[in-house]
Amino acid sequence: MPAISIRNLDVIFGQQITDSLKLLDQGKSRQEIIDATGDVVGVQNASLDIEEGEICVLMGLSGSGKSSLLRAVNGLNAISRGELLVQDGERMIDLANCDEKTLRHLRAKRISMVFQKFALMPWLKVIDNVAYGLEVMGMNKNDRHKKAMEQLDMVGLADWKDKYPHELSGGMQQRVGLARAFAMDSDILLMDEPFSALDPLIRHQLQEELITLQKSLNKTILFVSHDLDEALKIGSRIAIMESARIIQCGAPADIVLNPATPYVENFVAHTNPLNVLEGHTLMTEVEALEQQDGRLLADPHHQVWLTVEEGKVAAAEMNGSGPLKLQYCEADQDNQIPACGTLAMTSPKVSMRRAIELCYSTELPVILVENGKLEGVLCDQNFYHALLGKHFTTGDSAKT
């Protein structure tokens, strides 16, 4: 059961929604509907399942519909047609048909929101801003302050509890907004471009903190961003929107390697793939390696040959230089740097950044193994292919 399930959802702003829906069904564009009825199509025929514990990022340019879809999830935007189901225990509640009491229950118990502009109350101290939602729910002062302090400690602001918002930096204010959302103990967090108003350094820091917090809190997060690098960094899945429609949804690596439309490809062309792609998405697979005299050619440029026995790399040599030393390197241990001339082996799940580091240090290809078995090879051409924004399926990588 997904935490949020969206089916054929339309959100239209205006006074002639029935007429606008008919025009939508006739294939009319957003601008044609504005001209005919004055209504604005915010979301068109959106379908998306968001699983429990994942960070799903809605992204697109301004006006693409991402915030309109996000705000429908907690009832801030009325649903014109379709289903929007939110998990509540063993049942799924349809926001398109729920009453005010049920909606208040979802907002109090299931869904919290973090706004772009922090939305802190300037007349309240930090601790009271964090505890505000708990106060509205009727929790007594001692209990809500205790819970608020736990959240402030989690985001590193315990010593600032008695300050007012204007005494904090922008990044600190955003942390207060996060603490307030976490204090409600909701399983679902809606985050509407929460870091976009911050300078790049603070923004990067908060992105890292959110990733770290998510590992321990395991919330279901629907995150809106117009920055694909941010989406690729924090999202377990990304739904890209254009003109009120979801045009592609997938894992970050899939978005980068296989953009579905020219619109998505234009986005991807300006991203940094280093923190997104893993070795298995770039590698030349074993089946594609040239074979000769029972050996496999791992790197035509350096003439590195592998001897493989029962699927395992038994030996390696480079023409003209003799045998090569093999060294297994953990994918997540950046301080483990093999010597130049050593053939590094690592997991297919190695990050692109780490794989390039291994290749740079050894001046040789990187061998990818899983449970001791050879899976594929990464050499310079694989890296160049990805860094230049070329798009290919895994099998095509061997052709570079």
PDB file of all heavy atoms in Angstrom, residues 87-117:
ATOM      1  N   GLN A  87      -2.619   7.221   2.762  1.00  0.00           N
ATOM      2  CA  GLN A  87      -2.712   6.099   3.695  1.00  0.00           C
ATOM      3  C   GLN A  87      -2.907   6.607   5.120  1.00  0.00           C
ATOM      4  O   GLN A  87      -2.207   7.506   5.588  1.00  0.00           O
ATOM      5  CB  GLN A  87      -1.443   5.247   3.624  1.00  0.00           C
ATOM      6  CG  GLN A  87      -1.469   4.027   4.531  1.00  0.00           C
ATOM      7  CD  GLN A  87      -0.151   3.281   4.536  1.00  0.00           C
ATOM      8  OE1 GLN A  87       0.814   3.707   3.899  1.00  0.00           O
ATOM      9  NE2 GLN A  87      -0.089   2.191   5.265  1.00  0.00           N
ATOM     10  N   ASP A  88      -3.859   6.007   5.811  1.00  0.00           N
ATOM     11  CA  ASP A  88      -4.116   6.315   7.224  1.00  0.00           C
ATOM     12  C   ASP A  88      -4.378   5.000   7.941  1.00  0.00           C
ATOM     13  O   ASP A  88      -5.516   4.512   7.982  1.00  0.00           O
ATOM     14  CB  ASP A  88      -5.319   7.255   7.362  1.00  0.00           C
ATOM     15  CG  ASP A  88      -5.572   7.654   8.816  1.00  0.00           C
ATOM     16  OD1 ASP A  88      -4.585   7.799   9.572  1.00  0.00           O
ATOM     17  OD2 ASP A  88      -6.747   7.797   9.197  1.00  0.00           O
ATOM     18  N   GLY A  89      -3.315   4.412   8.481  1.00  0.00           N
ATOM     19  CA  GLY A  89      -3.451   3.087   9.082  1.00  0.00           C
ATOM     20  C   GLY A  89      -3.723   2.046   8.016  1.00  0.00           C
ATOM     21  O   GLY A  89      -2.984   1.912   7.046  1.00  0.00           O
ATOM     22  N   GLU A  90      -4.813   1.322   8.168  1.00  0.00           N
ATOM     23  CA  GLU A  90      -5.177   0.277   7.223  1.00  0.00           C
ATOM     24  C   GLU A  90      -6.080   0.775   6.103  1.00  0.00           C
ATOM     25  O   GLU A  90      -6.476  -0.005   5.238  1.00  0.00           O
ATOM     26  CB  GLU A  90      -5.875  -0.879   7.964  1.00  0.00           C
ATOM     27  CG  GLU A  90      -5.005  -1.571   8.997  1.00  0.00           C
ATOM     28  CD  GLU A  90      -3.770  -2.194   8.377  1.00  0.00           C
ATOM     29  OE1 GLU A  90      -3.889  -2.793   7.294  1.00  0.00           O
ATOM     30  OE2 GLU A  90      -2.679  -2.070   8.974  1.00  0.00           O
ATOM     31  N   ARG A  91      -6.424   2.045   6.109  1.00  0.00           N
ATOM     32  CA  ARG A  91      -7.334   2.570   5.092  1.00  0.00           C
ATOM     33  C   ARG A  91      -6.638   3.632   4.251  1.00  0.00           C
ATOM     34  O   ARG A  91      -5.616   4.190   4.625  1.00  0.00           O
ATOM     35  CB  ARG A  91      -8.581   3.175   5.744  1.00  0.00           C
ATOM     36  CG  ARG A  91      -8.264   4.364   6.649  1.00  0.00           C
ATOM     37  CD  ARG A  91      -9.532   5.016   7.180  1.00  0.00           C
ATOM     38  NE  ARG A  91      -9.206   6.144   8.061  1.00  0.00           N
ATOM     39  CZ  ARG A  91     -10.064   7.088   8.404  1.00  0.00           C
ATOM     40  NH1 ARG A  91     -11.318   7.046   7.945  1.00  0.00           N
ATOM     41  NH2 ARG A  91      -9.705   8.074   9.214  1.00  0.00           N
ATOM     42  N   MET A  92      -7.225   3.886   3.095  1.00  0.00           N
ATOM     43  CA  MET A  92      -6.777   4.956   2.221  1.00  0.00           C
ATOM     44  C   MET A  92      -7.882   6.004   2.147  1.00  0.00           C
ATOM     45  O   MET A  92      -9.033   5.672   1.826  1.00  0.00           O
ATOM     46  CB  MET A  92      -6.457   4.426   0.819  1.00  0.00           C
ATOM     47  CG  MET A  92      -5.315   3.423   0.758  1.00  0.00           C
ATOM     48  SD  MET A  92      -3.688   4.134   1.130  1.00  0.00           S
ATOM     49  CE  MET A  92      -3.302   4.982  -0.404  1.00  0.00           C
ATOM     50  N   ILE A  93      -7.543   7.239   2.448  1.00  0.00           N
ATOM     51  CA  ILE A  93      -8.513   8.337   2.432  1.00  0.00           C
ATOM     52  C   ILE A  93      -8.375   9.106   1.127  1.00  0.00           C
ATOM     53  O   ILE A  93      -7.277   9.516   0.753  1.00  0.00           O
ATOM     54  CB  ILE A  93      -8.294   9.275   3.632  1.00  0.00           C
ATOM     55  CG1 ILE A  93      -8.550   8.530   4.940  1.00  0.00           C
ATOM     56  CG2 ILE A  93      -9.203  10.502   3.531  1.00  0.00           C
ATOM     57  CD1 ILE A  93      -8.229   9.349   6.184  1.00  0.00           C
ATOM     58  N   ASP A  94      -9.496   9.309   0.440  1.00  0.00           N
ATOM     59  CA  ASP A  94      -9.509  10.042  -0.818  1.00  0.00           C
ATOM     60  C   ASP A  94      -9.790  11.513  -0.531  1.00  0.00           C
ATOM     61  O   ASP A  94     -10.891  11.876  -0.120  1.00  0.00           O
ATOM     62  CB  ASP A  94     -10.573   9.473  -1.752  1.00  0.00           C
ATOM     63  CG  ASP A  94     -10.513  10.084  -3.156  1.00  0.00           C
ATOM     64  OD1 ASP A  94      -9.680  10.984  -3.373  1.00  0.00           O
ATOM     65  OD2 ASP A  94     -11.287   9.653  -4.018  1.00  0.00           O
ATOM     66  N   LEU A  95      -8.786  12.355  -0.747  1.00  0.00           N
ATOM     67  CA  LEU A  95      -8.957  13.781  -0.470  1.00  0.00           C
ATOM     68  C   LEU A  95      -9.972  14.434  -1.392  1.00  0.00           C
ATOM     69  O   LEU A  95     -10.468  15.519  -1.097  1.00  0.00           O
ATOM     70  CB  LEU A  95      -7.618  14.517  -0.577  1.00  0.00           C
ATOM     71  CG  LEU A  95      -6.817  14.606   0.726  1.00  0.00           C
ATOM     72  CD1 LEU A  95      -6.207  13.259   1.074  1.00  0.00           C
ATOM     73  CD2 LEU A  95      -5.740  15.660   0.651  1.00  0.00           C
ATOM     74  N   ALA A  96     -10.291  13.803  -2.500  1.00  0.00           N
ATOM     75  CA  ALA A  96     -11.279  14.367  -3.412  1.00  0.00           C
ATOM     76  C   ALA A  96     -12.683  14.301  -2.826  1.00  0.00           C
ATOM     77  O   ALA A  96     -13.578  15.039  -3.242  1.00  0.00           O
ATOM     78  CB  ALA A  96     -11.245  13.639  -4.749  1.00  0.00           C
ATOM     79  N   ASN A  97     -12.872  13.409  -1.828  1.00  0.00           N
ATOM     80  CA  ASN A  97     -14.224  13.193  -1.298  1.00  0.00           C
ATOM     81  C   ASN A  97     -14.303  13.226   0.223  1.00  0.00           C
ATOM     82  O   ASN A  97     -15.346  12.910   0.779  1.00  0.00           O
ATOM     83  CB  ASN A  97     -14.760  11.832  -1.790  1.00  0.00           C
ATOM     84  CG  ASN A  97     -14.870  11.761  -3.296  1.00  0.00           C
ATOM     85  OD1 ASN A  97     -15.590  12.546  -3.902  1.00  0.00           O
ATOM     86  ND2 ASN A  97     -14.142  10.844  -3.911  1.00  0.00           N
ATOM     87  N   CYS A  98     -13.228  13.583   0.914  1.00  0.00           N
ATOM     88  CA  CYS A  98     -13.273  13.535   2.372  1.00  0.00           C
ATOM     89  C   CYS A  98     -13.893  14.808   2.955  1.00  0.00           C
ATOM     90  O   CYS A  98     -13.862  15.875   2.335  1.00  0.00           O
ATOM     91  CB  CYS A  98     -11.882  13.307   2.955  1.00  0.00           C
ATOM     92  SG  CYS A  98     -10.771  14.708   2.862  1.00  0.00           S
ATOM     93  N   ASP A  99     -14.436  14.698   4.163  1.00  0.00           N
ATOM     94  CA  ASP A  99     -15.070  15.844   4.814  1.00  0.00           C
ATOM     95  C   ASP A  99     -14.030  16.652   5.593  1.00  0.00           C
ATOM     96  O   ASP A  99     -12.863  16.266   5.695  1.00  0.00           O
ATOM     97  CB  ASP A  99     -16.211  15.385   5.734  1.00  0.00           C
ATOM     98  CG  ASP A  99     -15.747  14.358   6.775  1.00  0.00           C
ATOM     99  OD1 ASP A  99     -14.554  14.380   7.159  1.00  0.00           O
ATOM    100  OD2 ASP A  99     -16.578  13.532   7.200  1.00  0.00           O
ATOM    101  N   GLU A 100     -14.451  17.793   6.150  1.00  0.00           N
ATOM    102  CA  GLU A 100     -13.546  18.690   6.864  1.00  0.00           C
ATOM    103  C   GLU A 100     -12.920  18.025   8.074  1.00  0.00           C
ATOM    104  O   GLU A 100     -11.745  18.239   8.376  1.00  0.00           O
ATOM    105  CB  GLU A 100     -14.289  19.963   7.273  1.00  0.00           C
ATOM    106  CG  GLU A 100     -14.555  20.924   6.134  1.00  0.00           C
ATOM    107  CD  GLU A 100     -13.266  21.482   5.541  1.00  0.00           C
ATOM    108  OE1 GLU A 100     -12.323  21.737   6.312  1.00  0.00           O
ATOM    109  OE2 GLU A 100     -13.207  21.654   4.312  1.00  0.00           O
ATOM    110  N   LYS A 101     -13.681  17.215   8.778  1.00  0.00           N
ATOM    111  CA  LYS A 101     -13.155  16.546   9.977  1.00  0.00           C
ATOM    112  C   LYS A 101     -12.019  15.601   9.605  1.00  0.00           C
ATOM    113  O   LYS A 101     -10.972  15.569  10.271  1.00  0.00           O
ATOM    114  CB  LYS A 101     -14.276  15.782  10.678  1.00  0.00           C
ATOM    115  CG  LYS A 101     -13.827  15.066  11.945  1.00  0.00           C
ATOM    116  CD  LYS A 101     -14.987  14.335  12.614  1.00  0.00           C
ATOM    117  CE  LYS A 101     -14.515  13.597  13.865  1.00  0.00           C
ATOM    118  NZ  LYS A 101     -15.633  12.857  14.514  1.00  0.00           N
ATOM    119  N   THR A 102     -12.218  14.844   8.535  1.00  0.00           N
ATOM    120  CA  THR A 102     -11.178  13.916   8.090  1.00  0.00           C
ATOM    121  C   THR A 102      -9.947  14.669   7.604  1.00  0.00           C
ATOM    122  O   THR A 102      -8.815  14.263   7.875  1.00  0.00           O
ATOM    123  CB  THR A 102     -11.717  13.015   6.969  1.00  0.00           C
ATOM    124  OG1 THR A 102     -12.877  12.319   7.425  1.00  0.00           O
ATOM    125  CG2 THR A 102     -10.678  11.996   6.536  1.00  0.00           C
ATOM    126  N   LEU A 103     -10.172  15.768   6.895  1.00  0.00           N
ATOM    127  CA  LEU A 103      -9.056  16.573   6.409  1.00  0.00           C
ATOM    128  C   LEU A 103      -8.251  17.140   7.573  1.00  0.00           C
ATOM    129  O   LEU A 103      -7.008  17.136   7.545  1.00  0.00           O
ATOM    130  CB  LEU A 103      -9.574  17.704   5.519  1.00  0.00           C
ATOM    131  CG  LEU A 103      -8.520  18.584   4.837  1.00  0.00           C
ATOM    132  CD1 LEU A 103      -7.564  17.753   4.003  1.00  0.00           C
ATOM    133  CD2 LEU A 103      -9.195  19.655   3.981  1.00  0.00           C
ATOM    134  N   ARG A 104      -8.946  17.627   8.609  1.00  0.00           N
ATOM    135  CA  ARG A 104      -8.235  18.131   9.794  1.00  0.00           C
ATOM    136  C   ARG A 104      -7.434  17.024  10.463  1.00  0.00           C
ATOM    137  O   ARG A 104      -6.313  17.255  10.941  1.00  0.00           O
ATOM    138  CB  ARG A 104      -9.238  18.739  10.784  1.00  0.00           C
ATOM    139  CG  ARG A 104      -9.791  20.091  10.353  1.00  0.00           C
ATOM    140  CD  ARG A 104     -10.469  20.799  11.514  1.00  0.00           C
ATOM    141  NE  ARG A 104     -11.599  20.036  12.027  1.00  0.00           N
ATOM    142  CZ  ARG A 104     -12.842  20.162  11.604  1.00  0.00           C
ATOM    143  NH1 ARG A 104     -13.123  21.020  10.633  1.00  0.00           N
ATOM    144  NH2 ARG A 104     -13.814  19.449  12.136  1.00  0.00           N
ATOM    145  N   HIS A 105      -8.000  15.818  10.492  1.00  0.00           N
ATOM    146  CA  HIS A 105      -7.288  14.665  11.064  1.00  0.00           C
ATOM    147  C   HIS A 105      -5.998  14.385  10.291  1.00  0.00           C
ATOM    148  O   HIS A 105      -4.933  14.154  10.892  1.00  0.00           O
ATOM    149  CB  HIS A 105      -8.198  13.436  11.052  1.00  0.00           C
ATOM    150  CG  HIS A 105      -7.465  12.139  11.227  1.00  0.00           C
ATOM    151  ND1 HIS A 105      -6.969  11.713  12.440  1.00  0.00           N
ATOM    152  CD2 HIS A 105      -7.117  11.178  10.304  1.00  0.00           C
ATOM    153  CE1 HIS A 105      -6.356  10.547  12.281  1.00  0.00           C
ATOM    154  NE2 HIS A 105      -6.432  10.203  11.002  1.00  0.00           N
ATOM    155  N   LEU A 106      -6.073  14.416   8.955  1.00  0.00           N
ATOM    156  CA  LEU A 106      -4.880  14.163   8.141  1.00  0.00           C
ATOM    157  C   LEU A 106      -3.817  15.220   8.378  1.00  0.00           C
ATOM    158  O   LEU A 106      -2.625  14.905   8.499  1.00  0.00           O
ATOM    159  CB  LEU A 106      -5.256  14.124   6.656  1.00  0.00           C
ATOM    160  CG  LEU A 106      -6.037  12.900   6.170  1.00  0.00           C
ATOM    161  CD1 LEU A 106      -6.436  13.078   4.711  1.00  0.00           C
ATOM    162  CD2 LEU A 106      -5.222  11.623   6.335  1.00  0.00           C
ATOM    163  N   ARG A 107      -4.229  16.463   8.454  1.00  0.00           N
ATOM    164  CA  ARG A 107      -3.270  17.546   8.659  1.00  0.00           C
ATOM    165  C   ARG A 107      -2.644  17.491  10.049  1.00  0.00           C
ATOM    166  O   ARG A 107      -1.486  17.887  10.233  1.00  0.00           O
ATOM    167  CB  ARG A 107      -3.958  18.892   8.450  1.00  0.00           C
ATOM    168  CG  ARG A 107      -4.301  19.187   6.990  1.00  0.00           C
ATOM    169  CD  ARG A 107      -5.167  20.414   6.873  1.00  0.00           C
ATOM    170  NE  ARG A 107      -5.387  20.805   5.476  1.00  0.00           N
ATOM    171  CZ  ARG A 107      -6.272  21.718   5.104  1.00  0.00           C
ATOM    172  NH1 ARG A 107      -7.023  22.338   6.024  1.00  0.00           N
ATOM    173  NH2 ARG A 107      -6.415  22.017   3.837  1.00  0.00           N
ATOM    174  N   ALA A 108      -3.405  17.010  11.032  1.00  0.00           N
ATOM    175  CA  ALA A 108      -2.900  16.964  12.405  1.00  0.00           C
ATOM    176  C   ALA A 108      -2.044  15.728  12.664  1.00  0.00           C
ATOM    177  O   ALA A 108      -1.066  15.790  13.419  1.00  0.00           O
ATOM    178  CB  ALA A 108      -4.073  16.999  13.395  1.00  0.00           C
ATOM    179  N   LYS A 109      -2.394  14.603  12.029  1.00  0.00           N
ATOM    180  CA  LYS A 109      -1.758  13.335  12.384  1.00  0.00           C
ATOM    181  C   LYS A 109      -0.876  12.728  11.291  1.00  0.00           C
ATOM    182  O   LYS A 109       0.053  11.992  11.589  1.00  0.00           O
ATOM    183  CB  LYS A 109      -2.840  12.303  12.749  1.00  0.00           C
ATOM    184  CG  LYS A 109      -3.744  12.706  13.899  1.00  0.00           C
ATOM    185  CD  LYS A 109      -2.983  12.773  15.210  1.00  0.00           C
ATOM    186  CE  LYS A 109      -3.927  13.055  16.377  1.00  0.00           C
ATOM    187  NZ  LYS A 109      -3.195  13.126  17.668  1.00  0.00           N
ATOM    188  N   ARG A 110      -1.179  13.031  10.034  1.00  0.00           N
ATOM    189  CA  ARG A 110      -0.513  12.307   8.955  1.00  0.00           C
ATOM    190  C   ARG A 110       0.412  13.163   8.101  1.00  0.00           C
ATOM    191  O   ARG A 110       1.424  12.676   7.600  1.00  0.00           O
ATOM    192  CB  ARG A 110      -1.578  11.679   8.026  1.00  0.00           C
ATOM    193  CG  ARG A 110      -2.389  10.570   8.656  1.00  0.00           C
ATOM    194  CD  ARG A 110      -1.533   9.346   8.863  1.00  0.00           C
ATOM    195  NE  ARG A 110      -1.105   8.773   7.587  1.00  0.00           N
ATOM    196  CZ  ARG A 110       0.026   8.094   7.403  1.00  0.00           C
ATOM    197  NH1 ARG A 110       0.876   7.941   8.388  1.00  0.00           N
ATOM    198  NH2 ARG A 110       0.333   7.593   6.224  1.00  0.00           N
ATOM    199  N   ILE A 111       0.059  14.436   7.908  1.00  0.00           N
ATOM    200  CA  ILE A 111       0.776  15.257   6.925  1.00  0.00           C
ATOM    201  C   ILE A 111       1.257  16.557   7.560  1.00  0.00           C
ATOM    202  O   ILE A 111       0.483  17.265   8.196  1.00  0.00           O
ATOM    203  CB  ILE A 111      -0.132  15.602   5.727  1.00  0.00           C
ATOM    204  CG1 ILE A 111      -0.658  14.325   5.061  1.00  0.00           C
ATOM    205  CG2 ILE A 111       0.614  16.444   4.704  1.00  0.00           C
ATOM    206  CD1 ILE A 111      -1.719  14.582   4.001  1.00  0.00           C
ATOM    207  N   SER A 112       2.531  16.868   7.388  1.00  0.00           N
ATOM    208  CA  SER A 112       3.085  18.166   7.784  1.00  0.00           C
ATOM    209  C   SER A 112       3.698  18.828   6.562  1.00  0.00           C
ATOM    210  O   SER A 112       4.088  18.155   5.608  1.00  0.00           O
ATOM    211  CB  SER A 112       4.154  18.007   8.872  1.00  0.00           C
ATOM    212  OG  SER A 112       3.595  17.512  10.070  1.00  0.00           O
ATOM    213  N   MET A 113       3.818  20.154   6.618  1.00  0.00           N
ATOM    214  CA  MET A 113       4.325  20.882   5.456  1.00  0.00           C
ATOM    215  C   MET A 113       5.445  21.832   5.859  1.00  0.00           C
ATOM    216  O   MET A 113       5.370  22.485   6.909  1.00  0.00           O
ATOM    217  CB  MET A 113       3.196  21.662   4.779  1.00  0.00           C
ATOM    218  CG  MET A 113       3.581  22.263   3.430  1.00  0.00           C
ATOM    219  SD  MET A 113       2.132  22.582   2.407  1.00  0.00           S
ATOM    220  CE  MET A 113       2.913  23.216   0.914  1.00  0.00           C
ATOM    221  N   VAL A 114       6.474  21.894   5.026  1.00  0.00           N
ATOM    222  CA  VAL A 114       7.582  22.831   5.200  1.00  0.00           C
ATOM    223  C   VAL A 114       7.538  23.795   4.023  1.00  0.00           C
ATOM    224  O   VAL A 114       7.621  23.385   2.872  1.00  0.00           O
ATOM    225  CB  VAL A 114       8.945  22.105   5.242  1.00  0.00           C
ATOM    226  CG1 VAL A 114      10.067  23.107   5.453  1.00  0.00           C
ATOM    227  CG2 VAL A 114       8.958  21.053   6.341  1.00  0.00           C
ATOM    228  N   PHE A 115       7.412  25.088   4.334  1.00  0.00           N
ATOM    229  CA  PHE A 115       7.214  26.087   3.293  1.00  0.00           C
ATOM    230  C   PHE A 115       8.537  26.694   2.836  1.00  0.00           C
ATOM    231  O   PHE A 115       9.537  26.707   3.557  1.00  0.00           O
ATOM    232  CB  PHE A 115       6.300  27.205   3.801  1.00  0.00           C
ATOM    233  CG  PHE A 115       4.903  26.736   4.126  1.00  0.00           C
ATOM    234  CD1 PHE A 115       4.579  26.323   5.409  1.00  0.00           C
ATOM    235  CD2 PHE A 115       3.911  26.709   3.161  1.00  0.00           C
ATOM    236  CE1 PHE A 115       3.294  25.885   5.720  1.00  0.00           C
ATOM    237  CE2 PHE A 115       2.632  26.287   3.458  1.00  0.00           C
ATOM    238  CZ  PHE A 115       2.319  25.870   4.739  1.00  0.00           C
ATOM    239  N   GLN A 116       8.506  27.261   1.630  1.00  0.00           N
ATOM    240  CA  GLN A 116       9.683  27.907   1.057  1.00  0.00           C
ATOM    241  C   GLN A 116      10.120  29.117   1.887  1.00  0.00           C
ATOM    242  O   GLN A 116      11.305  29.349   2.089  1.00  0.00           O
ATOM    243  CB  GLN A 116       9.382  28.341  -0.376  1.00  0.00           C
ATOM    244  CG  GLN A 116      10.529  29.076  -1.057  1.00  0.00           C
ATOM    245  CD  GLN A 116      10.178  29.513  -2.466  1.00  0.00           C
ATOM    246  OE1 GLN A 116       9.091  29.237  -2.952  1.00  0.00           O
ATOM    247  NE2 GLN A 116      11.094  30.186  -3.114  1.00  0.00           N
ATOM    248  N   LYS A 117       9.172  29.897   2.365  1.00  0.00           N
ATOM    249  CA  LYS A 117       9.479  31.142   3.062  1.00  0.00           C
ATOM    250  C   LYS A 117       9.506  30.974   4.579  1.00  0.00           C
ATOM    251  O   LYS A 117       9.314  31.938   5.319  1.00  0.00           O
ATOM    252  CB  LYS A 117       8.451  32.215   2.677  1.00  0.00           C
ATOM    253  CG  LYS A 117       8.432  32.556   1.188  1.00  0.00           C
ATOM    254  CD  LYS A 117       9.770  33.112   0.715  1.00  0.00           C
ATOM    255  CE  LYS A 117       9.707  33.532  -0.744  1.00  0.00           C
ATOM    256  NZ  LYS A 117      11.001  34.033  -1.226  1.00  0.00           N
TER     257      LYS A 117
END
